Amino acid sequence: MELKLAFIGFGNVAREFALLLKSRADLLAENYNLTCRATAIATARHGCVLSTNINLDEAIGCVRRKENLAQISGATAAADPMAVIENCDADIIFETTPLDPLGGEPATTYIRRALGRAINVVTANKGPLAFAYHELKALAAGHGAAFRFESAVMDGAPVFNLVERCLPAVKVTGFKAILNSTTNLILTGMEQGRSFDEALAEARSIGVAEANSDYDIDGWDAAVKSVALANVLMGADARPRDVERRGIRDITCDEVRAAVRDGCAIRLIARADSTGRDLRLRVAPERVPAASLMASARGTSNVLVIDTDLMGRLSVFETAPGVEQTAYGLLSDMIRIHESMPPRLNSRASN
Amino acid sequence: MELKLAFIGFGNVAREFALLLKSRADLLAENYNLTCRATAIATARHGCVLSTNINLDEAIGCVRRKENLAQISGATAAADPMAVIENCDADIIFETTPLDPLGGEPATTYIRRALGRAINVVTANKGPLAFAYHELKALAAGHGAAFRFESAVMDGAPVFNLVERCLPAVKVTGFKAILNSTTNLILTGMEQGRSFDEALAEARSIGVAEANSDYDIDGWDAAVKSVALANVLMGADARPRDVERRGIRDITCDEVRAAVRDGCAIRLIARADSTGRDLRLRVAPERVPAASLMASARGTSNVLVIDTDLMGRLSVFETAPGVEQTAYGLLSDMIRIHESMPPRLNSRASN
């Protein structure tokens, strides 16, 4: 079976995924009877193209050289990402555009349009889950399309799939989590004696923090992710504005040192607690024992601790993730969509 | 759809599972269109019975009163567990007999026979995975039967399902884990100032350690579990004798205190490392930093850290599990088997 793939957004994550498709082509063919062909790429700064078969190496080269994708052999230019979504001949659209964290756009609009065209969607964006999850889920179901998003929180570590596929009949009653790598890197850097600004500079130098890191530092990123988790895992219909949010901007080296002296550590912790019918969502720096699971998440590591009715307390810990893990999440979503495609679609697509 | 269930072994785990079937009957019917009927129970000390519909409350009452199951209304006595497996009319056999840890019996014999009759099997026993995994897997495939075992290691925490269902295309290259609750409870008890014997007595008093706990203390339980993990997750064909094994019998309070003084903790750690074509399996007490993920597993908690080719390092942490979690593992296996049954079998079984 051949899958036709379209890329809306072709940044680090999408390009790493493209490399993964190439390096694992034999494995996908042998183990999953699956080959892939790229038919569209939409970017903000390198143009948008449609084709019958895009050479992804050529596309990656174009972007690296800061050239326009339109020069790729056999490609036709398209006006913008929406035109690509409207006109692409794809089985799956991979949506990885840069996100406006406070509105979930343009990802949500792109995904809405793709699902409306009955095209399967894989996204690495948390925004659509935090701002429009139930709408998009219903839209996907109504059009018989898949909507997958494992990489949206904790990169490719299975969190959504863990609950959906490995915890049947379980109700998630709450969670606590460390979800933002930049703030965790800053807090653990301060534990090691660096200043806030030094630790932030380090986070920037290794590519974890963006030039504008306010969104991380003020807890917005963790808040949006915790809403995504609550909406998907707990059936909530929350929005980021519902989160009681406090970032780490005011945390001083003195506070961090005092915590260490007391056998503790400070971590930016996202919490969801359901009390009867109410759900309380919080993001705040907390003092936790140094010998705890939460404190053991250092640097860019993330951890999700879920409380359940039948399986007690269960945690997923992701050690020092990078863009490779996010790209893997896209791959796992693609394989899952492939496996769940009805045989009829399978044969149609292979013609 | 109705599933007919047979129980080979009806101890704590199976009885807790029976209670779970009752308490979650509505959820199973509504969410999975699934009802259950018990048609056989085999025990070592309370007899073996066949029936068209065993009242599980009645069976639990019998065992609690130390009476023979043959008095259950409508039940016919059977000679032994093998006779039950031979003659039961069941869609799934739940195998939860007490295990001979050094040979994997009688669980392996029971499972072999059940799969040979093309009956789906769910087991909570690690022994069959450590002594006969590939044989049983092939037998199941040959007879079109399912063979599930999520509860065999780390209770119901998804470890086998995590890799199989949430990490497609991933190769597990190694792992480290804390898999034995008794030794972990002893080591963390010693950290808190108790003697080895006091901590062991505590483990016995809360029902974690057996009267004969040599098997735990000498590292056999962790060794058998690590072989089960290696065989299933890494495709190894190892046996418990292949594990370099050292238990915690010689660990002294002085050593534990010295470790704590150095900012460390002692944990019984199982490791699998693949070096090219060779697999090295080890179980031994190790000094780990007190602020590490491994050290944060205290008391009965377990943790599995897997190294992979595509998803980096990923861990599953189970906090303070009890028999409820093991019973949940059986439930999750049952639901999974139900979901994977072909529609034809579905309709046949519902007639």
Side-chain angles (χ1 to χ4, degrees):
Chain A
M1 178 183 179
E2 185 184 65
L3 284 179
K4 287 169 285 181
L5 314 182
F7 296 85
I8 308 300
F10 202 60
N12 285 333
V13 169
R15 295 200 302 272
E16 187 70 30
F17 172 61
L19 293 173
L20 198 51
L21 288 177
K22 189 181 173 189
S23 71
R24 294 309 194 272
D26 288 350
L27 185 151
L28 292 172
E30 282 164 32
N31 293 9
Y32 300 94
N33 187 28
L34 176 58
T35 57
C36 300
R37 176 155 57 98
T39 61
I41 301 178
T43 72
R45 288 178 295 171
H46 306 277
C48 301
V49 289
L50 299 165
S51 173
T52 53
N53 192 353
I54 295 173
N55 181 326
L56 287 173
D57 284 339
E58 212 178 328
I60 291 170
C62 261
V63 170
R64 282 199 185 134
R65 293 188 305 271
K66 308 196 176 186
E67 293 169 359
N68 196 291
L69 292 167
Q71 67 185 269
I72 290 176
S73 47
T76 311
D80 55 30
M82 282 302 261
V84 168
I85 295 169
E86 292 291 347
N87 298 297
C88 71
D89 173 31
D91 298 303
I92 305 181
I93 283 181
F94 291 85
E95 191 287 314
T96 58
T97 59
L99 188 76
D100 162 23
L102 305 188
E105 293 295 353
T108 305
T109 296
Y110 294 156
I111 293 170
R112 190 182 284 125
R113 189 60 205 122
L115 293 174
R117 280 199 65 207
I119 301 175
N120 302 300
V121 170
V122 171
T123 183
N125 268 317
K126 58 198 168 289
L129 306 177
F131 290 95
Y133 172 60
H134 295 287
E135 176 212 331
L136 295 173
K137 187 184 172 192
L139 188 64
H143 287 82
F147 174 41
R148 308 297 329 165
F149 39 76
E150 188 58 86
S151 291
V153 177
M154 283 178 70
D155 316 284
V159 292
F160 300 113
N161 285 325
L162 179 84
V163 173
E164 188 182 328
R165 288 172 74 76
C166 297
L167 295 174
V170 153
K171 185 175 158 65
V172 175
T173 56
F175 63 79
K176 62 179 175 178
I178 295 174
L179 300 170
N180 178 266
S181 291
T182 296
T183 48
N184 209 53
L185 202 60
I186 292 171
L187 291 170
T188 51
M190 288 166 81
E191 278 169 20
Q192 289 153 19
R194 287 191 275 287
S195 71
F196 188 103
D197 289 336
E198 284 166 357
L200 173 57
E202 191 201 17
R204 284 192 181 129
S205 74
I206 62 171
V208 172
E210 303 289 334
N212 178 358
S213 51
D214 292 353
Y215 173 62
D216 296 313
I217 290 166
D218 292 329
W220 273 112
D221 178 72
V224 173
K225 285 173 176 164
S226 61
V227 169
L229 289 172
N231 288 350
V232 179
L233 302 184
M234 302 177 72
D237 194 14
R239 295 291 177 276
R241 65 173 176 272
D242 301 326
V243 181
E244 301 165 34
R245 180 183 47 78
R246 191 158 75 82
I248 66 163
R249 192 173 293 280
D250 301 330
I251 301 290
T252 64
C253 287
D254 282 349
E255 277 176 274
V256 171
R257 272 194 297 265
V260 171
R261 210 165 42 231
D262 296 345
C264 290
I266 296 176
R267 293 288 181 270
L268 185 67
I269 295 183
R271 286 183 182 272
D273 298 293
S274 62
T275 53
R277 291 172 56 188
D278 289 335
L279 176 70
R280 186 176 178 200
L281 295 168
R282 282 171 291 172
V283 169
E286 291 186 28
R287 254 191 185 218
V288 293
S292 65
L293 174 63
M294 300 309 272
S296 78
R298 278 186 292 277
T300 57
S301 294
N302 284 185
V303 57
L304 171 66
V305 181
I306 59 171
D307 286 317
T308 74
D309 59 345
L310 296 178
M311 234 326 281
R313 178 170 285 186
L314 187 71
S315 310
V316 178
F317 192 105
E318 183 184 33
T319 301
V323 70
E324 299 83 2
Q325 278 72 43
T326 313
Y328 171 71
L330 300 182
L331 185 77
S332 77
D333 281 342
M334 181 185 81
I335 292 172
R336 173 125 186 242
I337 290 175
H338 167 63
E339 288 182 328
S340 64
M341 277 181 168
R344 210 167 16 165
L345 282 177
N346 259 294
S347 64
R348 191 199 63 169
S350 66
N351 285 341
Chain B
M1 178 182 179
E2 185 183 65
L3 283 180
K4 287 170 285 182
L5 315 182
F7 296 84
I8 308 301
F10 201 61
N12 285 332
V13 168
R15 295 200 302 273
E16 186 70 30
F17 172 60
L19 294 173
L20 198 52
L21 288 178
K22 190 182 174 189
S23 71
R24 294 308 195 271
D26 288 351
L27 184 151
L28 292 172
E30 282 163 32
N31 293 7
Y32 299 94
N33 187 29
L34 176 57
T35 58
C36 300
R37 176 155 57 98
T39 60
I41 302 179
T43 72
R45 287 177 296 171
H46 306 277
C48 301
V49 289
L50 299 164
S51 172
T52 53
N53 192 353
I54 296 173
N55 181 327
L56 287 173
D57 284 340
E58 212 178 328
I60 291 170
C62 260
V63 171
R64 282 198 186 135
R65 294 189 304 271
K66 307 195 177 188
E67 293 168 1
N68 196 291
L69 292 168
Q71 67 184 270
I72 291 177
S73 48
T76 310
D80 55 29
M82 281 303 259
V84 168
I85 295 168
E86 293 291 346
N87 298 298
C88 72
D89 173 30
D91 298 303
I92 306 180
I93 284 182
F94 291 85
E95 192 287 315
T96 58
T97 59
L99 187 77
D100 162 23
L102 304 189
E105 292 296 352
T108 304
T109 296
Y110 293 157
I111 293 169
R112 190 182 284 126
R113 188 62 205 120
L115 294 174
R117 281 200 65 208
I119 301 174
N120 302 301
V121 170
V122 172
T123 184
N125 267 318
K126 58 198 168 289
L129 306 177
F131 289 94
Y133 172 61
H134 295 286
E135 176 211 332
L136 296 173
K137 186 183 172 191
L139 189 64
H143 288 82
F147 174 41
R148 308 296 331 163
F149 39 76
E150 188 58 85
S151 291
V153 177
M154 285 178 70
D155 316 284
V159 291
F160 300 114
N161 285 324
L162 179 84
V163 173
E164 188 181 329
R165 287 173 74 76
C166 297
L167 295 175
V170 153
K171 184 176 159 64
V172 175
T173 56
F175 63 79
K176 61 180 176 179
I178 295 174
L179 300 170
N180 178 266
S181 291
T182 297
T183 47
N184 210 52
L185 203 60
I186 292 172
L187 290 170
T188 52
M190 289 167 80
E191 277 170 23
Q192 289 152 19
R194 287 190 275 286
S195 71
F196 187 103
D197 290 335
E198 284 166 356
L200 174 57
E202 191 201 16
R204 283 190 181 129
S205 73
I206 62 171
V208 172
E210 304 289 332
N212 178 359
S213 51
D214 292 353
Y215 172 62
D216 296 314
I217 291 167
D218 291 330
W220 273 113
D221 177 73
V224 174
K225 284 172 176 165
S226 62
V227 170
L229 288 172
N231 289 349
V232 179
L233 302 185
M234 301 177 72
D237 193 15
R239 295 292 177 275
R241 67 173 175 271
D242 301 326
V243 180
E244 300 165 34
R245 181 184 46 80
R246 190 158 74 84
I248 66 162
R249 193 173 291 281
D250 302 330
I251 301 290
T252 64
C253 288
D254 282 349
E255 276 176 275
V256 171
R257 272 194 297 267
V260 170
R261 210 165 41 232
D262 296 346
C264 290
I266 296 176
R267 294 288 181 270
L268 185 67
I269 296 182
R271 286 182 183 270
D273 298 293
S274 62
T275 52
R277 291 173 56 187
D278 289 335
L279 176 71
R280 186 175 178 201
L281 294 167
R282 282 171 290 171
V283 169
E286 291 186 30
R287 256 193 184 214
V288 293
S292 65
L293 174 63
M294 301 309 273
S296 78
R298 278 185 292 277
T300 57
S301 295
N302 285 186
V303 57
L304 171 65
V305 181
I306 59 171
D307 285 316
T308 74
D309 59 344
L310 295 179
M311 235 325 282
R313 177 169 286 186
L314 187 70
S315 309
V316 179
F317 193 104
E318 184 184 33
T319 302
V323 70
E324 299 82 2
Q325 278 72 42
T326 314
Y328 170 71
L330 300 183
L331 184 77
S332 77
D333 281 343
M334 182 185 80
I335 292 172
R336 173 125 188 242
I337 290 174
H338 167 64
E339 289 182 328
S340 64
M341 278 179 165
R344 208 164 21 161
L345 282 177
N346 258 296
S347 65
R348 191 199 60 170
S350 66
N351 286 340

